[in-house]
């Protein structure tokens, strides 16, 4: 694999061992530069700040490896976002209005009529496209359709092997 396509491949692959190490290394650490942290007990469908570019929904402490890869994608792309932690089993009704499957991650874009995207691979591809649409300088996906397909195949393979 060419080195130009290696970085996106590594960032978009879901490797549970790497994700577990990421969680362990960062559990409980919130820096002053962290995005806004919101607790999951309130109804986040009401009163979301319309100036928030992206709302990122995850488990407390970002402990889901699938949500972690979307978190990594947001950070690598340099997109501004706020974090909303979703707690409880079963998931709260307010979250089921956002994502009927009740899984994380999900992202919501208030500036785009509160559009919702869920499933980590779909979130990540959307974020790459959104960054390009917003004229961000950082990109993770190559423009070559064959290289993009290889990334998707590797991502799909990891989803099926590690699930």
């Amino acid at each position: 694999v060419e080195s130009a396509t290696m970085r996106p491949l590594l960032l978009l692959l879901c490797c549970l061992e790497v994700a577990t190490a990421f969680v362990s290394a960062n559990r409980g650490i919130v820096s002053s530069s962290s995005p806004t942290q919101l607790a999951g007990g309130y109804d986040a469908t009401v009163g979301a700040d319309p100036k928030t570019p992206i709302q990122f929904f995850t488990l407390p402490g970002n402990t889901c490896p699938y949500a972690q890869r979307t978190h990594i994608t947001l950070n690598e792309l340099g997109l501004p976002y706020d974090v909303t932690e979703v707690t409880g089993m079963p998931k709260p009704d307010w979250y089921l209005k956002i994502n009927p499957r009740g899984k994380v991650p999900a992202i919501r874009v208030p500036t785009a009529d509160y559009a919702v995207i869920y499933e980590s691979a779909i979130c990540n591809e959307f974020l790459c496209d959104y960054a390009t649409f917003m004229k961000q300088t950082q990109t993770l996906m190559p423009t070559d359709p064959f290289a993009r397909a290889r990334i998707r195949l590797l991502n799909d393979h990891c989803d099926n092997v590690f699930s």
Side-chain angles (χ1 to χ4, degrees):
V1 180
E2 301 171 32
S3 63
T5 59
M6 191 55 138
R7 179 181 166 125
L9 291 174
L10 293 173
L11 291 172
L12 295 176
L13 291 177
C14 174
C15 177
L16 294 178
E17 293 171 349
V18 172
T20 302
F22 177 79
V23 169
S24 299
N26 290 301
R27 184 168 287 150
I29 300 172
V30 179
S31 70
S32 59
S33 63
S34 291
T36 306
Q37 298 278 335
L38 303 173
Y42 73 101
D43 186 345
T45 62
V46 176
D49 183 355
K51 296 176 285 190
T52 299
I54 296 172
Q55 287 180 296
F56 171 56
F57 298 91
T58 187
L59 294 177
N62 198 24
T63 55
C64 171
Y66 296 101
Q68 289 172 2
R69 72 177 177 183
T70 298
H71 187 240
I72 291 168
T73 302
L74 282 162
N75 287 331
E76 285 294 318
L77 289 170
L79 294 170
Y81 63 95
D82 282 343
V83 175
T84 301
E85 292 182 341
V86 182
T87 59
M89 282 304 280
K91 294 292 185 266
D93 290 341
W94 66 262
Y95 186 65
L96 294 174
K97 291 176 189 174
I98 293 170
N99 182 354
R101 294 183 182 176
K103 296 170 25 177
V104 294
I107 54 177
R108 187 166 69 168
V109 187
T111 57
D113 199 27
Y114 294 92
V116 174
I117 298 95
Y118 48 89
E119 294 299 323
S120 61
I122 297 168
C123 288
N124 294 347
E125 285 200 35
F126 166 78
L127 291 169
C128 290
D129 293 341
Y130 184 72
T132 301
F133 175 76
M134 297 301 289
K135 310 280 192 249
Q136 294 281 115
T137 56
Q138 177 70 3
T139 61
L140 299 178
M141 292 290 280
T143 56
D144 176 62
F146 296 101
R148 292 174 71 91
R150 281 193 301 273
I151 289 171
R152 288 185 184 110
L153 286 169
L154 285 168
N155 200 18
D156 181 68
H157 173 75
C158 288
D159 279 349
N160 290 312
V161 168
F162 298 119
S163 294

